[in-house]
Amino acid sequence: DSGVTQTPKHLITATGQRVTLRCSPRSGDLSVYWYQQSLDQGLQFLIQYYNGEERAKGNILERFSAQQFPDLHSELNLSSLELGDSALYFCASSSGERYGYTFGSGTRLTVV
Amino acid sequence: AQKVTQAQTEISVVEKEDVTLDCVYETRDTTYYLFWYKQPPSGELVFLIRRNSFDEQNEISGRYSWNFQKSTSSFNFTITASQVVDSAVYFCALSEASTGGFKTIFGAGTRLFVKA
């Protein structure tokens, strides 16, 4: 157990639908990062939150949004889903980027 | 600009062979951090090592060793006497100072197949 909890582990949904992925960071970590990994692709940075505030944005689609709550857990909302959104979505937490990330086990999203 | 290159897309070796995974980075900063992560077939991402730019000492952890050379901007990872359980995708990452803090980018990953 890495200490970063992601739910659900698997999600199957239809095109056009909306889903929410949840992440609880490791105890003490203020930063949460979201990454997307499509089949046989590398890690694409989506967004970072630090103590409730958006800190950095990557290649996140407008259909996607995220937030970090006062208890530091974070949610990634994906709407108007398309087949191409099928991927592994990872959450990571960190006490500072210079220390590296602790990743959750990921949510495998399948859009049918 | 920040960049991490893992030129080897896939490597296949036979068990007990030694294998080196290459990582070349670009950065303008003098202070930066390098990492390796492992992603086994089960999918999770596991932190392996962190190295800061001021520490060029090589590190060995069991069958794993890392060679950091600032002169060639490389941070290579060697697995000695590889085992089937080493089969995974390995990602190299670079973290450098950026507006508002540090920014991390990942290489594209190297997929290692270790055959019995």
Side-chain angles (χ1 to χ4, degrees), chain B residues 81-95:
Chain B
S82 59
Q83 299 176 1
V84 172
V85 293
D86 296 326
S87 297
V89 180
Y90 292 87
F91 292 96
C92 180
L94 164 69
S95 182

Side-chain angles (χ1 to χ4, degrees), chain A residues 37 40 55 90 97-98 101, chain B residues 37 39 43 50 100 102 104:
Chain A
Q37 186 179 35
D40 287 337
R55 175 64 68 90
F90 285 104
E97 294 211 37
R98 68 187 74 186
Y101 296 165
Chain B
Y37 293 86
Q39 186 177 34
R50 163 185 177 258
F102 276 74
T104 298

Side-chain angles (χ1 to χ4, degrees), chain B:
Chain B
Q2 203 184 14
K3 190 175 178 183
V4 176
T5 302
Q6 294 181 256
Q8 304 149 310
T9 306
E10 288 187 1
I11 302 175
S12 184
V13 299
V14 177
E15 221 174 7
K16 297 183 185 175
E17 282 186 27
D18 298 348
V19 58
T20 296
L21 310 182
D22 297 333
C23 175
V24 174
Y25 62 92
E26 290 179 29
T27 178
R28 293 180 185 155
D29 271 3
T30 55
T31 301
Y32 53 90
Y33 299 85
L34 296 162
F35 307 88
W36 277 94
Y37 293 86
K38 175 182 180 180
Q39 186 177 34
S42 51
E44 74 272 21
L45 279 152
V46 179
F47 169 90
L48 293 178
I49 191 171
R50 163 185 177 258
R51 175 65 74 226
N52 75 56
S53 55
F54 299 109
D55 181 4
E56 282 195 75
Q57 265 195 327
N58 292 329
E59 180 153 341
I60 298 175
S61 176
R63 296 182 297 105
Y64 294 174
S65 62
W66 291 269
N67 180 251
F68 175 31
Q69 290 196 338
K70 286 176 78 169
S71 60
T72 56
S73 297
S74 64
F75 185 43
N76 297 336
F77 173 29
T78 297
I79 302 174
T80 302
S82 59
Q83 299 176 1
V84 172
V85 293
D86 296 326
S87 297
V89 180
Y90 292 87
F91 292 96
C92 180
L94 164 69
S95 182
E96 67 173 16
S98 178
T99 307
F102 276 74
K103 181 182 173 186
T104 298
I105 64 164
F106 285 81
T110 296
R111 186 178 296 275
L112 174 66
F113 294 99
V114 181
K115 296 182 258 189

Side-chain angles (χ1 to χ4, degrees), chain A residues 28-89:
Chain A
D29 287 351
L30 300 180
S31 288
V32 169
Y33 309 80
W34 287 98
Y35 280 83
Q36 179 192 56
Q37 186 179 35
S38 302
L39 188 65
D40 287 337
Q41 296 287 314
L43 292 158
Q44 300 296 320
F45 169 64
L46 296 178
I47 197 163
Q48 177 202 354
Y49 279 83
Y50 176 81
N51 203 21
E53 302 280 330
E54 183 183 302
R55 175 64 68 90
K57 232 173 180 177
N59 298 323
I60 187 166
L61 300 172
E62 285 192 16
R63 301 183 285 109
F64 296 180
S65 65
Q67 53 184 326
Q68 186 180 29
F69 295 87
D71 67 352
L72 299 178
H73 91 270
S74 177
E75 292 180 357
L76 179 67
N77 301 297
L78 315 175
S79 60
S80 303
L81 284 167
E82 302 174 358
L83 295 177
D85 298 326
S86 296
L88 254 177
Y89 290 85

